[in-house]
Amino acid sequence: MKLYLLWGMLIGSAGLLVVMLLRNRQAFQWFGMFSMQLVFAAVLLYLINLLTPYTHFELPLNAVTIGVVGVLGVPGLAALTALKLWVIG
C-alpha cells in the first residue's frame, strides 16, 4: 500500500477525532480524564523504577505498561508485577 495513502488515513482519522471532541463536551471531558489517568500511570511506573536500587525490581516504561496501568489502575500494576515475577522465576 502506498505510504501517502496511510498518512492520509492517519491525518483524516485524527481530524475526525478532533471534530468529535469539539462537538461533544462530554467526549472532551472523557478524553481529559483518560489523559490524566495515563499521566498518573506514567508517574507511578517512573516512581517504581526510581526505587529500583532498593527493591531490585524494574517494570519497563513503555506504551503497553502505561496503557495497562492507565486503564486498570492499581490492579493493573499488581497484575504486571505478578506477571513479571512469574515469568522471571
Side-chain angles (χ1 to χ4, degrees):
M1 195 175 267
K2 298 289 183 185
L3 188 60
Y4 65 88
L5 182 61
L6 290 174
W7 276 105
M9 289 171 56
L10 178 67
I11 291 170
S13 63
L16 288 174
L17 178 64
V18 168
V19 167
M20 283 180 49
L21 289 176
L22 291 176
R23 291 184 72 196
N24 190 357
R25 182 166 174 81
Q26 188 177 21
F28 189 71
Q29 289 175 349
W30 177 83
F31 185 71
M33 292 289 283
F34 186 69
S35 298
M36 287 299 294
Q37 286 180 335
L38 290 179
V39 169
F40 175 71
V43 168
L44 188 63
L45 286 170
Y46 179 74
L47 289 175
I48 287 175
N49 287 332
L50 196 62
L51 297 174
T52 297
Y54 305 110
T55 61
H56 303 291
F57 182 75
E58 181 179 4
L59 282 173
L61 188 64
N62 57 29
V64 174
T65 57
I66 291 173
V68 167
V69 177
V71 171
L72 298 177
V74 176
L77 180 64
L80 286 175
T81 303
L83 186 63
K84 173 117 184 190
L85 291 174
W86 180 56
V87 169
I88 288 177

